[in-house]
Amino acid sequence: MNNRTDRGEKTLAQEDRELERWLAETLGDDTLTTSARAAAIIPTTAAGKDHKIQCLIVSQQLKKGIVSRVRRTEREKIDILQVDTEIFEKDLGSAFLGDLVAVMMLLPYQPILGYDYLRRWDKIFKKRVILEGICSLLLEYGPAATELIIDPLYFPADKIRRIASFHPEIEIGIETGQFPRIDKVPVSIEPALRGFSEAFRELHQEGVIQLIDGELVIRHEYVRAELLGVAAPEAILRDLERTARWYIAEGLAKYTDPVGALRAVSNSLRRRLRRESRKRPDLVDPERYIYFATSSGKQPLSPEISSEEMAARSGVFAGASGIRTTRLRGVLNSVFVMESSGRRVIAKRFNDWSNLKWFPLSIWAIGVRDFALIGKNRMANEYAFNRHLHGEGFCVPNVLNVAWRDRTILEEYVEGSESSSVVNRVLSGREVRPEDSELIRKAARTIAQVHEKRVGLGDCKPENMILKPSGDVYLIDLEQAEFGGDPSWDIAEFLFYSCRYALRPKNVHGLCRNFIEGYLEVGSQAAIRRAASPRYLSIFAPVMTLPVMIKIARECKKASRA
């Protein structure tokens, strides 16, 4: 699109006519006057004897579909790509040629014919680029993608990096200056970004994203709807298929015979392999344009920093010295307490399944409950649902900072007692204290309120609830939470796990009664009833006595008939 700043329309029209005449003379035929629907030129930033100009011509009813040719003048080398209208639209709309033509729309091109046509399809292509970029973020960050704050430059940077990883000519173009670097955006590239602005506004209207002060966030509703349909293998296969289409189309554009086309494909693959053994250009990391929200403000996504640096950047220990770090007792060696000047924070590192408590249970619970095992996914859940439930008004530890590449999250340390201590008093004492009964009801009511927001906690043990002296119930360890989820699993885990060592059936009755009464203040009887189904009983049967298990099941069924 033309860089239409302060110049008058008459001057611009004259300039376009001059460019059109120059191109027609250079082509030496009537391509522009007889069949062209649109045309654009892309001047390189390089200069001197190697100065090159790329030219895109969209022609109606081009028999061959796509043709590549070269014209030379005394000062320039002009690479001309002529493509049929239908193929042009298919490539921009759905990568029919693997983005071979569409990638030119990422360059600061200048239309000389068919301005409105190119602008319309430019927006369609860039809308697809944005949606594919969002899909990549969903694959990488799961539900935490809703908490990312994204600079619009992320999307062209991400697309260029992905294409360059498969096509050496793009890398070469970046090295030589033919392809502009996103991190050093000259004025001349602004027209190429304009299509993104129009696509952002359209996606904002469609409810996919929200634009806030020049940045964007992905809407919760869109993430919830799309998460189940996003699969990493499909995205990888899509990129491989597009690469194959690119190479084939490139060969067919240069040669009329199949042998020549295959030779061109082979040469492209050889160039790709040779580039692998050489030093790669320093491409812009798209993640430098992504931030995430914390209680201490917006933080950059990409830096690799230690827990101490995370705390320092968050301002937690401002002016303090001598940070002491100790493992938190009773937990696997992935949770630490950092303390300085009387203030404490939690640093939690998320290991993969081989070091997790979840692996044995995930095998045992096949068909009943799916647990997140990969450290990256569990950290994304912890961060996302911490932020989400905080926004819904629940008490959760503040997220202070996150190191995504190190899979470490820094959270507020919550002072208080675990609800498990109340559960133990109820199950072991001769009499149930009224204040303990109220705390059990309050914990159950909090669980029901979370379910009311269509969130399942996943790991609903009493240990994951902190009771503050003020009476607030804090939810911690949200790494297994999920949208929708299974409320009955949360209920079953709280009751059966709490009573696994119980020896007094009378006390079990008191615990269940208080829990069920508290839950039903907000939650449904159906969820309580399902918690007593055989599919959950079979999970906990090996770790508890039969009389206790039967007692819990009867209390749940009795409540559901009330």
Side-chain angles (χ1 to χ4, degrees):
M1 300 166 203
N2 289 338
N3 188 15
R4 300 171 186 260
T5 52
D6 298 326
R7 294 176 295 173
E9 289 295 328
K10 182 177 179 181
T11 303
L12 288 166
Q14 291 174 344
E15 183 179 297
D16 288 347
R17 284 196 297 271
E18 290 176 3
L19 285 170
E20 187 176 344
R21 277 198 304 272
W22 169 82
L23 184 57
E25 293 172 0
T26 302
L27 293 175
D29 55 33
D30 59 355
T31 300
L32 287 182
T33 57
T34 59
S35 64
R37 175 72 182 273
I41 61 171
I42 305 147
T44 180
T45 55
K49 64 178 181 180
D50 295 326
H51 181 61
K52 293 194 298 185
I53 294 176
Q54 290 183 323
C55 175
L56 171 66
I57 301 175
V58 183
S59 298
Q60 301 179 37
Q61 298 179 342
L62 184 64
K63 289 183 179 180
K64 192 180 176 184
I66 182 169
V67 177
S68 175
R69 46 189 168 142
V70 177
R71 289 287 185 273
R72 294 183 182 274
T73 68
E74 293 181 359
R75 293 179 299 174
E76 295 127 348
K77 174 187 175 185
I78 306 172
D79 291 325
I80 302 164
L81 185 64
Q82 187 176 1
V83 61
D84 179 72
T85 305
E86 183 179 356
I87 293 177
F88 172 80
E89 294 174 1
K90 283 184 176 181
D91 195 47
L92 268 66
S94 60
F96 180 70
L97 300 181
D99 286 328
L100 174 65
V101 178
V103 72
M104 299 180 74
M105 311 301 281
L106 293 174
L107 296 165
Y109 65 91
Q110 184 174 1
I112 57 176
L113 189 66
Y115 175 86
D116 292 336
Y117 175 80
L118 287 174
R119 179 172 179 172
R120 182 171 73 253
W121 281 98
D122 179 71
K123 185 194 71 173
I124 291 172
F125 166 60
K126 286 167 182 173
K127 183 177 179 180
R128 172 167 68 84
V129 169
I130 296 167
L131 289 173
E132 289 175 358
I134 290 175
C135 177
S136 299
L137 293 175
L138 293 183
L139 285 171
E140 185 69 19
Y141 302 105
T146 59
E147 301 296 332
L148 300 178
I149 303 167
I150 309 168
D151 186 307
L153 286 174
Y154 166 80
F155 296 98
D158 178 63
K159 185 65 174 178
I160 291 171
R161 189 180 183 91
R162 287 179 181 277
I163 293 178
S165 67
F166 288 100
H167 303 292
E169 55 270 34
I170 301 300
E171 287 187 346
I172 295 170
I174 293 173
E175 288 179 325
T176 60
Q178 180 183 349
F179 213 104
R181 290 182 60 90
I182 297 297
D183 58 336
K184 299 178 181 178
V185 181
V187 175
S188 61
I189 201 174
E190 290 178 359
L193 299 178
R194 192 176 303 159
F196 282 106
S197 300
E198 295 174 359
F200 288 138
R201 287 194 293 270
E202 191 169 295
L203 289 170
H204 174 78
Q205 294 170 355
E206 294 174 2
V208 177
I209 62 173
Q210 185 176 3
L211 296 171
I212 304 174
D213 297 330
E215 297 173 318
L216 62 96
V217 295
I218 310 170
R219 289 186 180 273
H220 283 271
E221 297 79 9
Y222 182 79
V223 171
R224 292 181 201 177
E226 294 295 317
L227 266 180
L228 294 177
V230 175
E234 291 181 8
I236 294 171
L237 290 174
R238 180 198 67 196
D239 288 343
L240 292 175
E241 179 185 351
R242 288 181 179 178
T243 300
R245 285 175 175 267
W246 174 304
Y247 285 142
I248 292 171
E250 188 178 43
L252 292 173
K254 294 178 180 178
Y255 297 92
T256 57
D257 63 293
V259 175
L262 288 173
R263 187 181 298 114
V265 172
S266 177
N267 290 337
S268 295
L269 291 173
R270 285 198 192 95
R271 287 197 301 272
R272 172 74 273 170
L273 293 174
R274 283 198 297 268
R275 295 287 295 177
E276 291 294 335
S277 60
R278 295 172 51 190
K279 182 180 179 181
R280 308 290 289 276
D282 184 21
L283 299 182
V284 179
D285 183 359
E287 289 189 346
R288 68 181 293 178
Y289 298 111
I290 301 180
Y291 305 86
F292 59 92
T294 71
S295 61
S296 54
K298 185 172 73 172
Q299 300 288 344
L301 180 72
S302 57
E304 297 183 18
I305 56 178
S306 66
S307 300
E308 289 76 10
E309 290 175 301
M310 290 170 63
R313 292 191 182 192
S314 304
V316 177
F317 299 132
S321 60
I323 299 175
R324 187 167 49 123
T325 303
T326 56
R327 290 193 179 99
L328 192 62
R329 290 180 298 173
V331 185
L332 294 179
N333 298 336
S334 57
V335 181
F336 303 86
V337 177
M338 301 172 62
E339 185 174 6
S340 180
S341 301
R343 185 169 185 185
R344 290 185 285 181
V345 298
I346 292 289
K348 187 173 183 181
R349 179 175 170 79
F350 292 81
N351 303 311
D352 285 334
W353 65 267
S354 59
N355 296 322
L356 284 179
K357 55 187 176 182
W358 292 111
F359 182 61
L361 185 55
S362 69
I363 298 298
W364 188 256
I366 285 177
V368 177
R369 175 81 173 98
D370 294 327
F371 292 100
L373 300 179
I374 305 301
K376 179 188 69 176
N377 297 343
R378 291 168 38 250
M379 188 183 78
N381 284 351
E382 175 98 5
Y383 169 75
F385 287 99
N386 195 303
R387 296 283 304 171
H388 178 70
L389 292 178
H390 175 77
E392 294 287 354
F394 291 93
C395 294
V396 292
N398 285 323
V399 175
L400 304 174
N401 210 330
V402 180
W404 288 99
R405 294 179 181 176
D406 195 44
R407 295 182 301 191
T408 302
I409 190 168
L410 197 70
E411 294 180 345
E412 171 191 17
Y413 183 89
V414 179
E415 298 281 357
S417 59
E418 295 177 354
S419 63
S420 57
S421 61
V422 179
V423 168
N424 291 336
R425 285 200 302 268
V426 170
L427 292 175
S428 61
R430 292 185 178 275
E431 297 291 336
V432 179
R433 298 188 304 180
E435 57 269 30
D436 286 343
S437 295
E438 177 55 31
L439 288 173
I440 295 296
R441 283 194 290 268
K442 183 176 287 188
R445 187 163 54 247
T446 300
I447 296 171
Q449 289 168 341
V450 172
H451 292 165
E452 190 180 32
K453 299 298 182 180
R454 299 187 58 80
V455 172
L457 295 171
D459 186 14
C460 195
K461 301 191 300 293
E463 290 91 328
N464 292 335
M465 294 184 175
I466 301 296
L467 305 175
K468 298 274 285 185
S470 61
D472 292 330
V473 178
Y474 271 72
L475 302 170
I476 64 172
D477 203 7
L478 297 170
E479 62 192 64
Q480 298 296 333
E482 60 182 340
F483 289 116
D486 183 358
S488 297
W489 166 264
D490 288 346
I491 297 167
E493 185 181 17
F494 188 98
L495 292 175
F496 288 110
Y497 187 86
S498 298
C499 299
R500 66 195 185 283
Y501 301 133
L503 298 176
R504 299 173 182 267
K506 179 182 177 181
N507 294 19
V508 171
H509 167 76
L511 175 70
C512 292
R513 187 189 68 238
N514 289 316
F515 181 91
I516 292 170
E517 287 176 359
Y519 187 89
L520 290 180
E521 290 180 24
V522 179
S524 71
Q525 290 183 339
I528 296 287
R529 183 177 62 252
R530 286 194 299 270
S533 65
R535 68 197 303 255
Y536 301 119
L537 297 179
S538 63
I539 298 299
F540 297 98
V543 295
M544 60 193 313
T545 63
L546 184 60
V548 170
M549 187 170 63
I550 293 174
K551 184 69 176 176
I552 297 172
R554 284 177 177 172
E555 292 297 328
C556 291
K557 292 176 181 178
K558 186 192 304 182
S560 67
R561 290 194 296 268

Short mmCIF file of all heavy atoms in Angstrom, two decimals, residues 60-83:
data_model
loop_
_atom_site.label_atom_id
_atom_site.label_comp_id
_atom_site.label_asym_id
_atom_site.label_seq_id
_atom_site.Cartn_x
_atom_site.Cartn_y
_atom_site.Cartn_z
N GLN A 60 -5.60 -12.31 -14.77
CA GLN A 60 -6.82 -13.08 -14.94
C GLN A 60 -6.59 -14.18 -15.97
O GLN A 60 -6.02 -13.96 -17.03
CB GLN A 60 -7.96 -12.17 -15.39
CG GLN A 60 -8.25 -11.04 -14.40
CD GLN A 60 -9.37 -10.14 -14.88
OE1 GLN A 60 -10.33 -10.59 -15.47
NE2 GLN A 60 -9.24 -8.85 -14.61
N GLN A 61 -7.02 -15.39 -15.61
CA GLN A 61 -6.98 -16.55 -16.52
C GLN A 61 -5.58 -16.80 -17.07
O GLN A 61 -5.39 -16.97 -18.28
CB GLN A 61 -7.98 -16.36 -17.66
CG GLN A 61 -9.42 -16.26 -17.18
CD GLN A 61 -10.41 -16.06 -18.31
OE1 GLN A 61 -10.03 -15.68 -19.42
NE2 GLN A 61 -11.67 -16.33 -18.05
N LEU A 62 -4.60 -16.85 -16.16
CA LEU A 62 -3.24 -17.20 -16.55
C LEU A 62 -3.18 -18.72 -16.67
O LEU A 62 -3.34 -19.45 -15.69
CB LEU A 62 -2.25 -16.71 -15.50
CG LEU A 62 -0.76 -16.92 -15.81
CD1 LEU A 62 -0.35 -16.13 -17.04
CD2 LEU A 62 0.09 -16.53 -14.59
N LYS A 63 -2.95 -19.22 -17.88
CA LYS A 63 -3.07 -20.65 -18.15
C LYS A 63 -2.15 -21.49 -17.28
O LYS A 63 -2.54 -22.53 -16.73
CB LYS A 63 -2.78 -20.93 -19.62
CG LYS A 63 -3.87 -20.43 -20.57
CD LYS A 63 -3.57 -20.81 -22.00
CE LYS A 63 -4.68 -20.33 -22.94
NZ LYS A 63 -4.39 -20.69 -24.35
N LYS A 64 -0.92 -21.07 -17.13
CA LYS A 64 0.03 -21.87 -16.36
C LYS A 64 -0.19 -21.74 -14.85
O LYS A 64 0.29 -22.56 -14.07
CB LYS A 64 1.46 -21.44 -16.72
CG LYS A 64 2.50 -22.42 -16.19
CD LYS A 64 3.90 -21.99 -16.55
CE LYS A 64 4.91 -22.95 -15.90
NZ LYS A 64 6.28 -22.53 -16.13
N GLY A 65 -0.91 -20.74 -14.43
CA GLY A 65 -1.19 -20.57 -13.02
C GLY A 65 -0.20 -19.67 -12.32
O GLY A 65 -0.57 -18.74 -11.61
N ILE A 66 1.09 -19.93 -12.50
CA ILE A 66 2.13 -19.11 -11.86
C ILE A 66 3.38 -19.16 -12.73
O ILE A 66 3.77 -20.23 -13.22
CB ILE A 66 2.43 -19.60 -10.43
CG1 ILE A 66 3.47 -18.71 -9.75
CG2 ILE A 66 2.84 -21.06 -10.40
CD1 ILE A 66 3.61 -18.97 -8.27
N VAL A 67 3.99 -18.00 -12.93
CA VAL A 67 5.17 -17.89 -13.78
C VAL A 67 6.18 -16.97 -13.09
O VAL A 67 5.82 -15.91 -12.58
CB VAL A 67 4.83 -17.31 -15.17
CG1 VAL A 67 6.10 -17.14 -16.01
CG2 VAL A 67 3.83 -18.19 -15.89
N SER A 68 7.44 -17.39 -13.09
CA SER A 68 8.51 -16.57 -12.53
C SER A 68 9.50 -16.23 -13.63
O SER A 68 9.90 -17.12 -14.40
CB SER A 68 9.21 -17.33 -11.40
OG SER A 68 10.32 -16.60 -10.91
N ARG A 69 9.89 -15.00 -13.72
CA ARG A 69 10.86 -14.59 -14.73
C ARG A 69 11.69 -13.42 -14.21
O ARG A 69 11.34 -12.80 -13.20
CB ARG A 69 10.18 -14.23 -16.05
CG ARG A 69 8.97 -13.34 -15.91
CD ARG A 69 8.24 -13.21 -17.22
NE ARG A 69 6.93 -12.59 -17.05
CZ ARG A 69 6.41 -11.74 -17.92
NH1 ARG A 69 7.08 -11.41 -19.01
NH2 ARG A 69 5.21 -11.22 -17.71
N VAL A 70 12.76 -13.13 -14.95
CA VAL A 70 13.69 -12.08 -14.53
C VAL A 70 13.89 -11.11 -15.69
O VAL A 70 14.04 -11.52 -16.84
CB VAL A 70 15.05 -12.67 -14.09
CG1 VAL A 70 16.03 -11.56 -13.75
CG2 VAL A 70 14.86 -13.60 -12.91
N ARG A 71 13.87 -9.83 -15.38
CA ARG A 71 14.21 -8.80 -16.35
C ARG A 71 15.35 -7.98 -15.77
O ARG A 71 15.38 -7.68 -14.57
CB ARG A 71 13.01 -7.89 -16.61
CG ARG A 71 11.89 -8.55 -17.40
CD ARG A 71 12.28 -8.73 -18.87
NE ARG A 71 11.16 -9.25 -19.63
CZ ARG A 71 10.87 -10.53 -19.78
NH1 ARG A 71 11.63 -11.44 -19.18
NH2 ARG A 71 9.84 -10.91 -20.50
N ARG A 72 16.28 -7.59 -16.61
CA ARG A 72 17.43 -6.80 -16.16
C ARG A 72 17.48 -5.48 -16.90
O ARG A 72 17.20 -5.41 -18.10
CB ARG A 72 18.74 -7.55 -16.38
CG ARG A 72 18.87 -8.82 -15.53
CD ARG A 72 20.22 -9.47 -15.75
NE ARG A 72 20.35 -10.70 -14.98
CZ ARG A 72 20.76 -10.76 -13.70
NH1 ARG A 72 21.08 -9.62 -13.10
NH2 ARG A 72 20.85 -11.90 -13.07
N THR A 73 17.81 -4.43 -16.16
CA THR A 73 18.10 -3.14 -16.76
C THR A 73 19.53 -2.78 -16.39
O THR A 73 20.24 -3.58 -15.76
CB THR A 73 17.14 -2.05 -16.23
OG1 THR A 73 17.42 -1.83 -14.84
CG2 THR A 73 15.68 -2.47 -16.40
N GLU A 74 19.96 -1.62 -16.78
CA GLU A 74 21.33 -1.23 -16.46
C GLU A 74 21.55 -1.10 -14.96
O GLU A 74 22.65 -1.32 -14.46
CB GLU A 74 21.66 0.11 -17.15
CG GLU A 74 21.71 0.02 -18.66
CD GLU A 74 22.06 1.35 -19.28
OE1 GLU A 74 22.23 2.33 -18.51
OE2 GLU A 74 22.17 1.43 -20.52
N ARG A 75 20.52 -0.75 -14.25
CA ARG A 75 20.68 -0.49 -12.82
C ARG A 75 20.03 -1.52 -11.91
O ARG A 75 20.35 -1.60 -10.74
CB ARG A 75 20.11 0.89 -12.48
CG ARG A 75 20.89 2.04 -13.09
CD ARG A 75 20.27 3.37 -12.74
NE ARG A 75 18.89 3.48 -13.23
CZ ARG A 75 18.07 4.49 -12.97
NH1 ARG A 75 18.49 5.47 -12.20
NH2 ARG A 75 16.85 4.51 -13.45
N GLU A 76 19.08 -2.27 -12.42
CA GLU A 76 18.30 -3.15 -11.55
C GLU A 76 18.12 -4.54 -12.14
O GLU A 76 18.18 -4.74 -13.35
CB GLU A 76 16.91 -2.55 -11.28
CG GLU A 76 16.93 -1.26 -10.52
CD GLU A 76 16.15 -0.18 -11.25
OE1 GLU A 76 15.80 -0.38 -12.43
OE2 GLU A 76 15.94 0.87 -10.64
N LYS A 77 17.89 -5.45 -11.20
CA LYS A 77 17.44 -6.78 -11.55
C LYS A 77 16.00 -6.89 -11.04
O LYS A 77 15.74 -6.67 -9.85
CB LYS A 77 18.32 -7.85 -10.90
CG LYS A 77 17.81 -9.27 -11.13
CD LYS A 77 18.62 -10.27 -10.33
CE LYS A 77 18.04 -11.67 -10.46
NZ LYS A 77 18.74 -12.65 -9.59
N ILE A 78 15.07 -7.23 -11.91
CA ILE A 78 13.65 -7.26 -11.53
C ILE A 78 13.17 -8.72 -11.55
O ILE A 78 13.15 -9.37 -12.60
CB ILE A 78 12.80 -6.42 -12.50
CG1 ILE A 78 13.37 -5.00 -12.58
CG2 ILE A 78 11.34 -6.40 -12.06
CD1 ILE A 78 12.73 -4.15 -13.64
N ASP A 79 12.83 -9.23 -10.37
CA ASP A 79 12.24 -10.57 -10.25
C ASP A 79 10.74 -10.44 -10.34
O ASP A 79 10.10 -9.79 -9.49
CB ASP A 79 12.62 -11.21 -8.90
CG ASP A 79 14.10 -11.54 -8.83
OD1 ASP A 79 14.67 -11.91 -9.87
OD2 ASP A 79 14.68 -11.42 -7.73
N ILE A 80 10.15 -11.05 -11.36
CA ILE A 80 8.72 -10.90 -11.62
C ILE A 80 8.02 -12.22 -11.31
O ILE A 80 8.42 -13.28 -11.79
CB ILE A 80 8.47 -10.52 -13.10
CG1 ILE A 80 9.20 -9.22 -13.43
CG2 ILE A 80 6.97 -10.38 -13.37
CD1 ILE A 80 9.33 -8.97 -14.91
N LEU A 81 7.00 -12.14 -10.49
CA LEU A 81 6.16 -13.29 -10.19
C LEU A 81 4.76 -12.97 -10.67
O LEU A 81 4.11 -12.06 -10.17
CB LEU A 81 6.14 -13.59 -8.68
CG LEU A 81 5.39 -14.86 -8.28
CD1 LEU A 81 6.07 -16.10 -8.85
CD2 LEU A 81 5.28 -14.99 -6.76
N GLN A 82 4.31 -13.71 -11.67
CA GLN A 82 2.98 -13.52 -12.23
C GLN A 82 2.12 -14.71 -11.83
O GLN A 82 2.50 -15.87 -11.99
CB GLN A 82 3.06 -13.41 -13.76
CG GLN A 82 1.74 -13.03 -14.41
CD GLN A 82 1.90 -12.84 -15.92
OE1 GLN A 82 2.99 -13.02 -16.47
NE2 GLN A 82 0.82 -12.47 -16.60
N VAL A 83 0.95 -14.43 -11.27
CA VAL A 83 0.11 -15.50 -10.73
C VAL A 83 -1.34 -15.27 -11.14
O VAL A 83 -1.80 -14.14 -11.27
CB VAL A 83 0.25 -15.55 -9.18
CG1 VAL A 83 -0.19 -14.27 -8.54
CG2 VAL A 83 -0.52 -16.73 -8.59
#
